Amino acid sequence: MDNNQIGQSFWDKGNINIANNDEEHEEKMSRRIQKLNLHLNPQLPFCPNEETIHFLDCASRIRTIDVETKVLSEYMRGKHWDIQERVYEYFNSRPDLQTPLEISKDDHRELCMKQLVGVVREGGIRPFRYVVEDPAKYFAVVEAVGSVDMSLGIKMGVQYSLWGGSVLNLGTKKHRDKFFDGIDNVDYPGCFAMTELHHGSNVQGIQTIATFDPITDEFIINTPNDGAIKWWIGNAAVHGKFATVFAKLILPTHDTKGISDMGVHAFIVPIRDMKSHKTLPGVEIQDCGHKVGLNGVDNGALRFRSVRIPRDNLLNRFGDVSRDGKYTSSLPTINKRFAATLGELVGGRVGLAYSSVGVLKIAATIAIRYSLLRQQFGPPKQPEISILDYQSHQHKLMPMLASNYAFHFAALHLVEKYSEMKKSHDEELIGDVHTLSAGLKSYITSYTAKSLSICREACGGHGYAAVNRFGSLRNDHDIFQTFEGDNTVLLQQVAGYLLKQYQEKFKGGTLAVTWNYLRESMNTYLSQPNPVTTRWEGEDHLRNQNFQLDAFRYRTSRLLQSVAVRLRKHSKNLGSFGAWNRCLNHLLTLAESHIESVILAKFIDAVRSCPDPNSRAALKLVCDLYAMDRIWNDIGTYRNVDYVAPNKAKAIHKLTEYLCFQVKNIARELVDAFDLPDYVTRAPIGMQATEEAYSNYTQFVGF
Amino acid sequence: MDNNQIGQSFWDKGNINIANNDEEHEEKMSRRIQKLNLHLNPQLPFCPNEETIHFLDCASRIRTIDVETKVLSEYMRGKHWDIQERVYEYFNSRPDLQTPLEISKDDHRELCMKQLVGVVREGGIRPFRYVVEDPAKYFAVVEAVGSVDMSLGIKMGVQYSLWGGSVLNLGTKKHRDKFFDGIDNVDYPGCFAMTELHHGSNVQGIQTIATFDPITDEFIINTPNDGAIKWWIGNAAVHGKFATVFAKLILPTHDTKGISDMGVHAFIVPIRDMKSHKTLPGVEIQDCGHKVGLNGVDNGALRFRSVRIPRDNLLNRFGDVSRDGKYTSSLPTINKRFAATLGELVGGRVGLAYSSVGVLKIAATIAIRYSLLRQQFGPPKQPEISILDYQSHQHKLMPMLASNYAFHFAALHLVEKYSEMKKSHDEELIGDVHTLSAGLKSYITSYTAKSLSICREACGGHGYAAVNRFGSLRNDHDIFQTFEGDNTVLLQQVAGYLLKQYQEKFKGGTLAVTWNYLRESMNTYLSQPNPVTTRWEGEDHLRNQNFQLDAFRYRTSRLLQSVAVRLRKHSKNLGSFGAWNRCLNHLLTLAESHIESVILAKFIDAVRSCPDPNSRAALKLVCDLYAMDRIWNDIGTYRNVDYVAPNKAKAIHKLTEYLCFQVKNIARELVDAFDLPDYVTRAPIGMQATEEAYSNYTQFVGF
């Protein structure tokens, strides 16, 4: 029994006669009130302005927008598209460097190293220089090599962003002079040894110790127990020569305690002999073994037994030890030094957010192209229809495509802010970028992870063929949610920052740029929702960017205000830690809501800035879907606080389904505008010329 | 900056003074109305009965329930626990048959075949006999071997349920006599060749042709085009000797057309030589290659070029061809024959639902044990706390654990119904089991697939180690959502069946057993929600099974009634197919809602039947969490139709969080009651003796 049959057999008999009177009555009432209100209040807060009307003209009144892929894709491109194309072309010219579908862990690691050395020394791509000169260019390269093999993207990140970044950002000139070239040309492959078996998120809890020995002018690195073994360290199992080891700096003192713990510092520790590549004395390295994905990266575990390193190997930008064992720092407390140290590592998160958007583009492109090609069932005695013509399939893939566009612009914005921060070192901007990168990294990587599963499922059995990519994309991307800061922990940092801003507001202080909207919407929120607009359900109202932004921000403001009240209440009995934990789900929702607001705002900016009318109309349509889908996802909250009346909730749902349908009509052009060459997407079922997909696929298996 | 610091720094300053007056006022009002109503209506529909009070005593008024794992696990065990233990012990005694973490596709396929032959011939497990004698025993075996290696579970399913099942259920005595022993002892490995490159879900659209040749008394099997190549056929790439091939039966006629298409039938086609194992003439076999998971199963693609088979090879239970080319059948139409043919294959879905529950048990056990062990952060100057003490972590894992329990009882119920059906061949029961298996298969496998990702993420970096299982569990299980019926398609069958029942109701006909509740709740629904009870928010009310069931069923009834109205409306303009598609999301939600109602009802039965008071109290607690979590997940709908007032919605949310906390307190006992030996869960971080987990893990990597 298929669905046609069911639908038909049920309806052909057609003997049901219950009129939906309630709903119709409600709709009429609402329309009447809306009209009445237009008479009474000619200047309405959400009255569509000229610009909006223009958007609506393009986006909804004509049935399909005539998108010119080339024009749209030119607008979408980041400014470092050229270097991404160079990366793609390099690997396209070197099929021997392509990762095969089946490869052993050990071979994969060797291949990945060859890919890295190849693209740097032969391809002339110099990621370490871009890290210094133009971070945006660096992130573009990492995304591009990640499309070739995500292991390579991560291997590159370990070398240049983590190992290289720690030397650049936590060290001083002497370290740069000594290590820059070796890191740059991969003569010095290195590790970033922070995480321990027992401590990941809680970095201040790490237990590795670096004790200063004033007699020999050395630090002695020790792993005091098994829980302190450095774990998951990339480049450690096979290739690394050095490691930046995070350890508690212990200094001898002349008081009764005899020692003083100065908190977590970073040290350069050689781990393998430069010539023989043998593990150095006192260092024990084990292979962390197979992972769910990213098996091209050689993660290892490191134990140190009284390993001596010269005093100069302390990365001493934020704190130093003199020859006679005196500690000096420009920063007054352990916590400030720790914050400064970790603050320098924010680049990794920016890169992950950016690359995650790229992963989603590949998956969405493959899934949508296949869904346009694939036909199954259809009206009686008529040809089968494409599976993307099914409402359920549109529901799976179209909000995802809209999010992908939204994330694209948000990630570009983040990279821009980050680059600005690296130039200006502006205090406020540092806090802003820290929170924005934490929020976008966690929000985008979680969304992409879920989407990869949905894409596989949307492609049915053929999505399960390894050659069609979803398996490796998901397995490799999965850990993006965890490394460089667990997503749940990062979202709490966002919530914490919001609460701090909230506090500032009541103190009358200034708000950081990104958060400025809170002041305004907090005021709107504190005055109750307008009982008339809560019933408005017209398309021109729902698709007005002012309504959309207000809805997102109202939610954020309300969540912020209510969690603040709850925290205050609970902290009396539970203490601050207990209160925080009691409100944790609430805090995480708040953080997500805020990030969604930021993403929407950036998307709206991008729509507005688009010079080509057709592209702008297409982007506006996609942006509307993003907004409606998110509002509908949390319709319970909106209803609960009476921000929307039942009729409006229904209208939002209806419009979301309608926009899915509209976006579907230009879905092919929208994924083509991501501009991914076939040799990057690689999946036979996801080729640009969809009509060739099946024959590509049959050829692949040997027919 | 960690979360403690944020929470603390914010609250230590404590300078926010906005009272949450609105909410308090609302709560008070609601309590007053509730009290008033108690006076006015002493006989209330949701007044807790004695039994409920007893549950509440155990479950909520004391802080922790004293669960005896052994007693609970004895209650949980299916009746075929013994044979599952035999399977586990067999593989435990044969470490050479364990699948290593790294294995090539080809080696994996050979190993998987060895495992199958080993457990059957050496282990004395005889799945094919259980298929005939006691299906419940068969499903228990498939689940158990799936825990060893899911590829083996699927390989076994292909051999006995698909290939074997088609011979048993679609053939007649002559086929059984000829093939039973060879299938049973794996001398005749076989395939089930239904799916084609272009057609999966729409089986009636397949294009392979079987033309009767009256001269030679043979059928000629042909693949007319590339789209008709049989694809994803398990056992085809390497091991299969035979295939049950689904093809359109073409008979010569004496009219002007010359031929007649009799619809899809099944034929036994030898594909490899019994001795040499060479592919037979006219058969072309290609390897479908690497898959996302299940690489121990050798899926292949088959093309037939005029392959001749004797007339006897038609599986002729539902339709036969005589020597002179006349067609006979006890069933009058092509559609009826097709439905009967596919109806016999429902066992596969039952097996998948059942095995999926088993997969979730393994994952939940590992994730929860690790989350109890793992510590990170904590109150200032106090020891770190276990990550399962965090509200966010409870929110991730506890509703999942509750669902796992709920699914366990639902799957046992399904297996029971299926076994009953196989005995009685009762018409009504067949329809009931068909829909129940479609619904539970899709609902459970979708839920499990999502949960596997959540489990990995909940275990952070250590969840990413391949040895800790989440990767292979997810990759192998992923396709459960697609094969044996795509989940989205299956849910539509459920919706269609519900609509049929709805129609029956208005005709005054009888309703099938499972759907009986609809009559009652449809009446409740059609009378508006009680404006008083919509505000009730007391724990005794929310935890009353009558309220819970009513909420689930009200939602289903409302969705059913409203989609019926919408379908009727749209079918006027769009036709039945167009109307169905326009309401597709709505129909899918309806189907899920119904399945959730069935699951809850079965869980409540299981709680009630539990003889041990402590186990019963624990199960009641878990059942309440299942119910509250689901209601909260769709709170938007409940609010929108005013089934719950805002204060009640808030109370439901609060209670859900509280129940998560309560279930957390007995989480260890609850997973222990799944009774999975360490050599089945296998993940070092998920050992029963959690305190040994870290040392197991360090030993594993070589320390």
Side-chain angles (χ1 to χ4, degrees):
Chain A
M1 182 159 55
D2 64 53
N3 51 339
N4 308 349
Q5 287 177 305
I6 297 161
Q8 229 181 314
S9 68
F10 181 62
W11 290 111
D12 287 355
K13 290 163 194 163
N15 49 4
I16 292 175
N17 281 303
I18 304 167
N20 205 356
N21 284 331
D22 277 9
E23 289 176 5
E24 276 174 24
H25 176 72
E26 207 169 75
E27 277 179 32
K28 269 186 207 153
M29 273 293 288
S30 158
R31 258 175 266 128
R32 214 175 299 148
I33 292 177
Q34 209 164 319
K35 272 189 193 155
L36 208 71
N37 197 61
L38 273 160
H39 279 285
L40 298 171
N41 299 297
Q43 288 183 326
L44 291 164
F46 301 128
C47 183
N49 57 27
E50 232 179 282
E51 190 183 31
T52 321
I53 288 170
H54 175 68
F55 282 148
L56 289 171
D57 258 329
C58 302
S60 78
R61 306 243 168 96
I62 56 170
R63 291 207 61 82
T64 304
I65 303 161
D66 193 17
V67 187
E68 280 183 76
T69 297
K70 226 184 131 192
V71 179
L72 177 58
S73 83
E74 261 162 32
Y75 179 63
M76 294 279 292
R77 285 175 182 178
K79 59 177 174 168
H80 294 298
W81 183 256
D82 296 351
I83 201 160
Q84 294 194 309
E85 283 201 317
R86 263 178 64 202
V87 169
Y88 295 149
E89 277 160 19
Y90 172 72
F91 284 103
N92 198 35
S93 73
R94 289 290 304 269
D96 57 308
L97 290 182
Q98 290 282 345
T99 312
L101 284 180
E102 176 162 303
I103 184 168
S104 73
K105 167 175 70 70
D106 293 341
D107 289 350
H108 195 178
R109 289 168 169 186
E110 286 316 310
L111 177 63
C112 193
M113 190 62 176
K114 266 191 211 159
Q115 290 169 335
L116 178 62
V117 169
V119 75
V120 169
R121 296 191 194 159
E122 221 183 76
I125 304 289
R126 288 295 183 168
F128 206 36
R129 300 185 194 170
Y130 315 146
V131 165
V132 178
E133 295 156 14
D134 186 354
K137 197 169 181 180
Y138 170 73
F139 295 126
V141 167
V142 173
E143 189 208 359
V145 299
S147 310
V148 172
D149 182 340
M150 228 180 298
S151 286
L152 175 58
I154 299 307
K155 184 106 181 162
M156 188 178 268
V158 169
Q159 176 69 7
Y160 297 115
S161 186
L162 295 179
W163 153 238
S166 64
V167 172
L168 280 184
N169 299 314
L170 306 180
T172 46
K173 189 171 175 301
K174 63 181 175 186
H175 301 110
R176 276 193 195 219
D177 291 347
K178 192 167 167 188
F179 289 98
F180 192 94
D181 289 344
I183 293 173
D184 178 43
N185 63 19
V186 211
D187 277 341
Y188 296 173
C191 315
F192 182 81
M194 180 185 268
T195 296
E196 296 176 356
L197 177 61
H198 281 189
H199 287 95
S201 293
N202 186 4
V203 180
Q204 279 194 296
I206 62 167
Q207 297 173 288
T208 303
I209 283 166
T211 312
F212 181 61
D213 179 354
I215 298 165
T216 60
D217 197 22
E218 290 171 319
F219 292 106
I220 312 162
I221 312 289
N222 260 307
T223 303
N225 57 57
D226 279 3
I229 295 171
K230 294 291 177 186
W231 207 274
W232 287 131
I233 309 307
N235 260 346
V238 182
H239 297 120
K241 300 279 191 200
F242 299 91
T244 293
V245 175
F246 288 80
K248 290 181 179 187
L249 169 58
I250 305 293
L251 290 180
T253 55
H254 299 291
D255 57 19
T256 47
K257 253 177 109 189
I259 55 160
S260 176
D261 177 350
M262 305 307 296
V264 175
H265 286 68
F267 305 83
I268 295 178
V269 182
I271 57 169
R272 285 193 178 87
D273 187 84
M274 283 307 291
K275 280 185 187 161
S276 70
H277 202 63
K278 275 193 187 147
T279 305
L280 292 171
V283 179
E284 184 183 353
I285 304 179
Q286 299 291 351
D287 188 339
C288 287
H290 284 85
K291 303 188 294 291
V292 172
L294 296 181
N295 280 305
V297 184
D298 53 317
N299 292 84
L302 295 166
R303 181 151 60 187
F304 302 101
R305 290 195 174 85
S306 301
V307 175
R308 289 179 169 266
I309 54 167
R311 185 167 53 92
D312 261 353
N313 284 21
L314 168 65
L315 290 167
N316 59 342
R317 178 166 160 208
F318 296 117
D320 205 356
V321 174
S322 65
R323 177 64 192 91
D324 58 349
K326 288 275 178 321
Y327 187 79
T328 51
S329 171
S330 57
L331 297 164
T333 64
I334 284 189
N335 280 347
K336 291 237 168 186
R337 290 193 292 271
F338 181 70
T341 303
L342 289 204
E344 284 302 326
L345 308 172
V346 73
R349 285 175 199 158
V350 177
L352 287 184
Y354 192 89
S355 291
S356 185
V357 179
V359 172
L360 186 53
K361 282 180 191 166
I362 295 175
T365 300
I366 298 169
I368 289 168
R369 286 188 183 151
Y370 176 72
S371 301
L372 286 162
L373 164 76
R374 180 74 172 179
Q375 300 187 325
Q376 209 81 180
F377 298 113
K381 289 175 195 166
Q382 284 179 50
E384 293 188 308
I385 64 171
S386 114
I387 56 175
L388 200 56
D389 284 327
Y390 287 101
Q391 190 185 51
S392 53
H393 222 74
Q394 291 164 18
H395 179 67
K396 279 177 199 162
L397 297 178
M398 294 303 101
M400 184 196 297
L401 180 58
S403 300
N404 207 344
Y405 265 80
F407 297 168
H408 170 88
F409 295 112
L412 286 184
H413 167 72
L414 174 62
V415 166
E416 220 169 79
K417 283 270 159 196
Y418 176 81
S419 305
E420 212 179 303
M421 177 198 88
K422 286 305 255 185
K423 267 185 211 149
S424 75
H425 296 283
D426 175 77
E427 273 279 335
E428 197 177 88
L429 199 56
I430 290 173
D432 207 16
V433 169
H434 183 88
T435 313
L436 194 63
S437 64
L440 286 176
K441 182 270 186 184
S442 56
Y443 190 84
I444 292 174
T445 60
S446 289
Y447 189 94
T448 296
K450 283 187 199 86
S451 301
L452 293 171
S453 288
I454 294 169
C455 285
R456 198 299 294 160
E457 200 226 319
C459 294
H462 298 318
Y464 201 58
V467 70
N468 288 323
R469 303 281 307 273
F470 299 119
S472 59
L473 288 175
R474 179 173 59 193
N475 288 336
D476 288 343
H477 177 275
D478 195 14
I479 199 66
F480 280 42
Q481 299 173 94
T482 302
F483 60 17
E484 300 273 336
D486 176 272
N487 282 357
T488 306
V489 174
L490 292 184
L491 284 177
Q492 290 177 60
Q493 297 186 3
V494 176
Y497 204 76
L498 280 165
L499 284 162
K500 220 174 123 192
Q501 294 291 324
Y502 180 74
Q503 203 179 21
E504 290 296 322
K505 181 186 148 55
F506 286 96
K507 275 198 205 150
T510 58
L511 299 183
V513 190
T514 315
W515 323 80
N516 231 336
Y517 79 83
L518 282 176
R519 177 191 302 275
E520 212 177 308
S521 43
M522 192 60 77
N523 293 338
T524 321
Y525 158 63
L526 290 174
S527 65
Q528 292 298 309
N530 180 331
V532 175
T533 56
T534 57
R535 299 183 62 82
W536 283 10
E537 57 172 28
E539 192 177 326
D540 47 355
H541 167 64
L542 298 177
R543 296 182 69 174
N544 185 310
Q545 64 193 45
N546 295 330
F547 160 68
Q548 294 167 359
L549 267 177
D550 189 76
F552 276 54
R553 290 170 173 181
Y554 178 86
R555 180 174 173 237
T556 310
S557 304
R558 179 149 186 132
L559 285 163
L560 178 54
Q561 196 267 346
S562 55
V563 85
V565 172
R566 285 186 64 208
L567 280 171
R568 182 159 177 77
K569 192 177 101 188
H570 288 303
S571 62
K572 284 173 198 156
N573 298 321
L574 304 172
S576 58
F577 183 84
W580 188 266
N581 193 19
R582 180 65 67 89
C583 301
L584 200 42
N585 293 335
H586 194 155
L587 288 159
L588 296 173
T589 309
L590 164 66
E592 285 170 348
S593 176
H594 166 67
I595 290 299
E596 287 176 348
S597 304
V598 172
I599 292 171
L600 178 65
K602 289 300 138 200
F603 199 172
I604 287 172
D605 285 352
V607 176
R608 196 182 286 128
S609 310
C610 181
D612 172 60
N614 278 355
S615 300
R616 191 168 64 238
L619 290 173
K620 170 66 179 152
L621 183 67
V622 174
C623 185
D624 285 344
L625 175 56
Y626 173 77
M628 285 302 114
D629 177 63
R630 287 304 187 284
I631 295 173
W632 176 247
N633 275 348
D634 197 31
I635 199 68
T637 298
Y638 285 109
R639 279 288 301 117
N640 238 5
V641 299
D642 272 325
Y643 183 84
V644 300
N647 71 308
K648 187 169 192 162
K650 214 178 139 188
I652 289 167
H653 189 199
K654 218 167 153 181
L655 181 59
T656 309
E657 285 185 346
Y658 177 67
L659 292 171
C660 280
F661 170 75
Q662 287 281 51
V663 171
K664 185 267 304 181
N665 288 334
I666 55 168
R668 185 188 301 274
E669 289 79 6
L670 288 170
V671 298
D672 285 354
F674 289 150
D675 226 350
L676 295 164
D678 280 348
Y679 54 82
V680 172
T681 52
R682 293 205 300 281
I685 62 167
M687 298 286 115
Q688 198 158 4
T690 41
E691 65 282 4
E692 288 167 25
Y694 279 128
S695 61
N696 278 323
Y697 191 34
T698 44
Q699 273 166 34
F700 169 77
V701 309
F703 286 100
Chain B
M1 180 159 56
D2 63 52
N3 52 338
N4 306 351
Q5 287 175 303
I6 298 161
Q8 230 181 312
S9 68
F10 181 62
W11 290 111
D12 287 355
K13 290 163 195 166
N15 48 4
I16 293 175
N17 280 305
I18 304 168
N20 205 355
N21 284 331
D22 278 8
E23 288 176 4
E24 276 174 24
H25 176 71
E26 208 170 73
E27 277 180 33
K28 269 187 206 153
M29 273 294 288
S30 158
R31 260 176 264 128
R32 214 175 299 150
I33 293 177
Q34 209 164 321
K35 271 190 192 154
L36 209 70
N37 197 62
L38 273 161
H39 278 286
L40 298 172
N41 299 297
Q43 287 182 330
L44 291 164
F46 301 128
C47 182
N49 58 27
E50 233 179 282
E51 193 184 27
T52 321
I53 288 169
H54 175 69
F55 283 149
L56 290 171
D57 258 328
C58 300
S60 78
R61 307 243 166 94
I62 57 170
R63 289 206 63 80
T64 305
I65 302 160
D66 193 16
V67 187
E68 280 183 75
T69 298
K70 227 185 131 192
V71 178
L72 177 57
S73 82
E74 262 163 31
Y75 179 64
M76 295 279 291
R77 285 174 183 181
K79 60 178 173 166
H80 294 298
W81 183 257
D82 296 352
I83 202 160
Q84 293 195 309
E85 284 202 316
R86 262 177 64 201
V87 169
Y88 295 149
E89 277 160 18
Y90 172 72
F91 284 103
N92 198 35
S93 73
R94 289 289 304 268
D96 58 308
L97 290 182
Q98 289 282 345
T99 312
L101 284 180
E102 176 162 301
I103 185 167
S104 73
K105 166 175 69 71
D106 293 341
D107 290 351
H108 195 180
R109 289 167 170 188
E110 286 315 310
L111 177 62
C112 194
M113 190 61 176
K114 266 190 210 160
Q115 291 169 335
L116 178 63
V117 169
V119 75
V120 169
R121 296 192 194 159
E122 222 182 74
I125 305 289
R126 289 295 183 167
F128 205 37
R129 301 186 192 169
Y130 314 147
V131 165
V132 178
E133 295 156 14
D134 186 354
K137 198 170 181 179
Y138 170 72
F139 295 127
V141 167
V142 173
E143 189 208 359
V145 300
S147 310
V148 172
D149 183 339
M150 228 180 296
S151 286
L152 175 58
I154 300 307
K155 184 105 179 162
M156 187 178 269
V158 170
Q159 175 69 6
Y160 297 115
S161 186
L162 295 180
W163 153 237
S166 63
V167 172
L168 280 184
N169 298 314
L170 306 180
T172 46
K173 188 172 176 298
K174 64 181 175 187
H175 301 110
R176 276 194 194 218
D177 290 349
K178 192 169 167 189
F179 288 98
F180 192 93
D181 290 344
I183 293 173
D184 178 43
N185 63 20
V186 211
D187 277 341
Y188 297 172
C191 314
F192 182 81
M194 180 185 268
T195 297
E196 297 177 355
L197 177 61
H198 281 191
H199 287 96
S201 293
N202 186 4
V203 180
Q204 279 193 297
I206 62 167
Q207 298 174 286
T208 303
I209 282 167
T211 311
F212 182 61
D213 179 354
I215 299 166
T216 60
D217 198 22
E218 290 171 321
F219 292 105
I220 312 163
I221 312 288
N222 260 308
T223 303
N225 56 58
D226 279 3
I229 295 171
K230 293 292 177 186
W231 207 274
W232 287 132
I233 309 307
N235 260 347
V238 182
H239 297 121
K241 300 279 191 197
F242 298 92
T244 293
V245 175
F246 288 79
K248 289 180 180 188
L249 169 58
I250 305 293
L251 290 181
T253 55
H254 299 290
D255 57 18
T256 47
K257 253 178 110 190
I259 54 159
S260 176
D261 177 350
M262 306 308 296
V264 175
H265 286 67
F267 305 83
I268 296 179
V269 182
I271 57 169
R272 285 194 179 87
D273 186 84
M274 284 305 293
K275 280 185 189 163
S276 71
H277 201 64
K278 275 192 186 148
T279 305
L280 292 171
V283 179
E284 183 183 355
I285 305 177
Q286 299 292 351
D287 188 338
C288 286
H290 283 85
K291 301 188 296 290
V292 172
L294 296 180
N295 280 306
V297 184
D298 54 317
N299 292 84
L302 296 166
R303 181 152 60 186
F304 302 101
R305 291 193 172 87
S306 301
V307 174
R308 289 179 167 266
I309 54 167
R311 184 167 53 91
D312 262 352
N313 283 21
L314 167 65
L315 291 166
N316 59 341
R317 178 166 160 207
F318 296 118
D320 205 357
V321 174
S322 66
R323 178 63 193 89
D324 58 349
K326 289 276 177 322
Y327 187 79
T328 51
S329 171
S330 56
L331 298 165
T333 64
I334 284 190
N335 280 347
K336 290 238 168 185
R337 290 194 290 271
F338 181 70
T341 303
L342 289 203
E344 284 302 328
L345 308 172
V346 72
R349 285 176 199 159
V350 177
L352 287 184
Y354 192 89
S355 291
S356 185
V357 180
V359 172
L360 186 53
K361 281 180 192 167
I362 295 175
T365 300
I366 298 169
I368 288 168
R369 285 188 184 150
Y370 176 72
S371 300
L372 285 161
L373 163 77
R374 180 73 172 180
Q375 300 187 325
Q376 209 81 183
F377 299 112
K381 288 175 196 166
Q382 284 178 51
E384 293 188 308
I385 64 171
S386 114
I387 56 174
L388 200 56
D389 284 326
Y390 288 101
Q391 191 186 51
S392 53
H393 222 75
Q394 291 164 17
H395 179 67
K396 280 176 199 164
L397 297 177
M398 294 303 102
M400 183 195 298
L401 180 57
S403 299
N404 207 344
Y405 265 79
F407 297 168
H408 170 88
F409 294 113
L412 286 184
H413 167 72
L414 173 63
V415 166
E416 219 169 79
K417 284 269 159 197
Y418 176 81
S419 306
E420 212 178 304
M421 178 197 87
K422 286 305 255 184
K423 266 185 210 149
S424 74
H425 295 283
D426 176 76
E427 273 279 335
E428 196 177 271
L429 198 56
I430 289 173
D432 206 16
V433 169
H434 183 87
T435 314
L436 194 62
S437 63
L440 286 175
K441 182 270 188 187
S442 57
Y443 189 84
I444 292 174
T445 59
S446 289
Y447 190 94
T448 296
K450 283 188 199 86
S451 300
L452 293 171
S453 288
I454 295 170
C455 285
R456 197 300 292 161
E457 199 226 320
C459 295
H462 297 318
Y464 201 59
V467 70
N468 289 323
R469 302 283 307 273
F470 299 119
S472 59
L473 287 174
R474 180 173 59 192
N475 288 336
D476 288 342
H477 177 276
D478 195 14
I479 199 66
F480 280 42
Q481 300 173 94
T482 302
F483 60 16
E484 301 272 334
D486 176 273
N487 283 357
T488 305
V489 175
L490 292 183
L491 285 176
Q492 290 178 60
Q493 297 187 2
V494 176
Y497 204 77
L498 281 165
L499 283 162
K500 220 175 122 193
Q501 296 290 322
Y502 180 73
Q503 204 179 18
E504 290 296 323
K505 181 186 147 56
F506 286 95
K507 277 200 205 149
T510 57
L511 299 183
V513 190
T514 316
W515 323 79
N516 231 336
Y517 79 85
L518 282 176
R519 178 192 301 278
E520 213 176 309
S521 44
M522 192 59 77
N523 294 339
T524 321
Y525 157 63
L526 290 174
S527 65
Q528 293 297 310
N530 181 332
V532 175
T533 56
T534 59
R535 299 184 62 83
W536 283 10
E537 57 172 29
E539 191 176 326
D540 47 355
H541 167 63
L542 297 177
R543 297 182 69 173
N544 185 312
Q545 64 193 46
N546 294 331
F547 160 69
Q548 295 166 359
L549 268 177
D550 189 76
F552 277 53
R553 291 171 172 181
Y554 178 87
R555 179 173 173 238
T556 311
S557 304
R558 179 151 185 131
L559 285 163
L560 178 54
Q561 196 268 345
S562 55
V563 85
V565 172
R566 286 187 64 209
L567 281 170
R568 182 160 177 76
K569 193 178 100 190
H570 288 303
S571 61
K572 284 173 198 155
N573 298 322
L574 304 173
S576 59
F577 182 85
W580 188 266
N581 193 20
R582 180 66 67 88
C583 301
L584 201 42
N585 293 335
H586 194 155
L587 288 160
L588 296 173
T589 309
L590 163 66
E592 285 170 346
S593 176
H594 166 67
I595 290 299
E596 286 175 349
S597 303
V598 173
I599 292 171
L600 178 64
K602 289 301 138 197
F603 200 173
I604 286 173
D605 285 352
V607 175
R608 196 183 285 128
S609 311
C610 180
D612 172 60
N614 278 355
S615 301
R616 192 166 62 236
L619 290 173
K620 171 66 179 152
L621 182 68
V622 174
C623 185
D624 285 345
L625 175 56
Y626 174 76
M628 286 301 113
D629 177 63
R630 287 305 187 283
I631 295 173
W632 177 246
N633 275 348
D634 196 30
I635 200 69
T637 298
Y638 285 109
R639 279 289 298 118
N640 238 5
V641 299
D642 273 326
Y643 183 84
V644 301
N647 71 308
K648 188 170 192 163
K650 213 178 139 188
I652 289 167
H653 189 200
K654 216 167 154 183
L655 181 57
T656 309
E657 284 185 346
Y658 177 66
L659 291 171
C660 280
F661 170 76
Q662 287 280 50
V663 171
K664 185 268 303 182
N665 287 335
I666 54 168
R668 184 187 301 273
E669 290 79 4
L670 289 170
V671 297
D672 285 354
F674 289 148
D675 227 350
L676 294 164
D678 280 348
Y679 55 83
V680 172
T681 52
R682 293 205 300 278
I685 61 166
M687 298 286 116
Q688 196 156 5
T690 41
E691 66 283 2
E692 288 167 26
Y694 278 129
S695 61
N696 278 324
Y697 191 34
T698 44
Q699 274 165 34
F700 168 77
V701 308
F703 285 100

